[in-house]
């Protein structure tokens, strides 16, 4: 054994001892608690449930919920139930698959309802999420519009204050009209004076 390997062994024994002290101080053992390295990706775990695309499943649930809310679904469901009941009443005995209490029909309707309800709820949740996003965008747009309106109002008020002493078109027009009247009066009065002199 070389000096280097002896130092390494001493160092590793020292580190193990320090780890054991730290583990006993925190109440856990070094064997049960391993250090997690953040620079190494976790190994992929096997999942028991199948993986699926939530977005595609959501779109499918919306389509199903949309179909369940139509008159076409009600008509087809009514036709299927009537055909089921008539077949199991009037068909020959060996061809009947669901006798009078129609237990299998009840089971099928319960199964359909147990799948329809969560699909409808999922579609409603997705619609709520879309509505929430649209509401937030509308709120931000309204805030921008209000800010723009307030800015324009302040600008118009500043322009009015700045134009308070500036001659406007109406003021100039009224001044011209007054001047024209005054000139007409001057023309009329000299003619009257001329007639009075004669």
């Amino acid at each position: 054994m070389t000096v280097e390997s002896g130092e390494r062994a001493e160092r590793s024994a020292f580190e193990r001892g320090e780890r054991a002290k730290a583990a006993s101080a925190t109440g856990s053992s070094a064997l049960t608690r391993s250090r997690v390295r953040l620079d190494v990706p976790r190994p992929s775990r096997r999942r028991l449930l199948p993986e699926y695309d939530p977005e595609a499943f959501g779109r499918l649930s919306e389509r199903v919920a949309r179909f369940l809310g139509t008159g076409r679904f009600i008509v087809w469901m009514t036709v299927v139930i009537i055909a089921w009941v008539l077949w199991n009443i009037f068909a020959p005995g060996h061809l009947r698959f669901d006798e009078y209490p129609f237990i299998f029909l009840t089971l099928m309707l319960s199964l359909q309802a147990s799948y329809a309800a969560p699909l409808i709820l999922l579609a409603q949740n997705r619609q709520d999420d879309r509505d929430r996003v649209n509401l937030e965008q509308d709120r931000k747009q309204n805030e921008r519009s209000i800010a723009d309106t307030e800015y324009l109002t302040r600008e118009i008020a500043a322009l009015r204050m700045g134009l308070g002493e500036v001659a406007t078109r109406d003021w100039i027009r009224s001044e011209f009209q007054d001047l024209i009247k005054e000139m007409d009066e001057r023309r009329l009065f000299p003619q009257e004076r001329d007639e009075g002199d004669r």
Side-chain angles (χ1 to χ4, degrees):
M1 189 188 231
T2 64
V3 176
E4 230 173 78
S5 62
E7 287 176 4
R8 257 192 244 141
E10 258 180 54
R11 196 175 318 131
S12 65
F14 177 74
E15 288 173 358
R16 277 194 298 258
E18 289 298 315
R19 272 190 247 143
K21 285 180 192 174
S24 64
T26 59
S28 63
S29 68
L31 296 175
T32 59
R33 188 173 181 183
S34 63
R35 291 179 74 178
V36 177
R37 291 192 51 166
L38 297 177
D39 60 337
V40 177
R42 288 184 178 173
S44 61
R45 290 192 243 167
R46 297 183 81 195
R47 295 180 183 243
L48 298 176
L49 297 174
E51 293 187 24
Y52 64 95
D53 181 17
E55 190 63 30
F57 189 74
R59 284 193 301 267
L60 175 68
S61 69
E62 286 178 341
R63 266 195 258 139
V64 169
R66 209 170 289 127
F67 174 69
L68 290 176
T70 61
R72 185 186 317 165
F73 172 74
I74 294 172
V75 168
W76 279 109
M77 192 72 169
T78 305
V79 167
V80 167
I81 291 173
I82 289 172
W84 186 297
V85 169
L86 291 177
W87 177 266
N88 286 298
I89 290 175
F90 297 114
H94 67 283
L95 293 177
R96 293 179 192 169
F97 56 89
D98 192 16
E99 291 296 325
Y100 164 66
F102 306 119
I103 295 171
F104 188 52
L105 175 63
T106 306
L107 176 68
M108 295 306 292
L109 291 174
S110 299
L111 182 67
Q112 181 266 331
S114 68
Y115 274 100
L119 288 175
I120 291 170
L121 288 173
L122 179 62
Q124 285 178 345
N125 288 341
R126 286 172 55 87
Q127 185 62 43
D128 287 345
D129 292 342
R130 275 196 299 273
D131 291 345
R132 194 175 306 113
V133 168
N134 288 339
L135 185 65
E136 183 66 25
Q137 289 175 348
D138 289 346
R139 187 183 63 76
K140 287 180 181 176
Q141 181 64 36
N142 287 342
E143 286 176 358
R144 283 193 296 267
S145 297
I146 289 171
D148 290 345
T149 305
E150 288 175 354
Y151 172 75
L152 290 174
T153 304
R154 285 192 301 271
E155 288 296 313
I156 290 172
L159 285 173
R160 282 185 179 166
M161 288 171 55
L163 289 175
E165 298 298 321
V166 175
T168 61
R169 181 175 42 183
D170 293 335
W171 182 79
I172 293 174
R173 185 177 294 143
S174 67
E175 288 295 317
F176 277 141
Q177 288 172 351
D178 291 344
L179 199 63
I180 291 171
K181 283 181 188 176
E182 189 177 320
M183 289 172 62
D184 285 344
E185 286 176 2
R186 283 185 187 171
R187 273 190 226 152
L188 289 177
F189 286 123
Q191 289 175 357
E192 289 175 0
R193 286 180 193 159
D194 292 340
E195 289 174 4
D197 293 336
R198 289 182 195 164

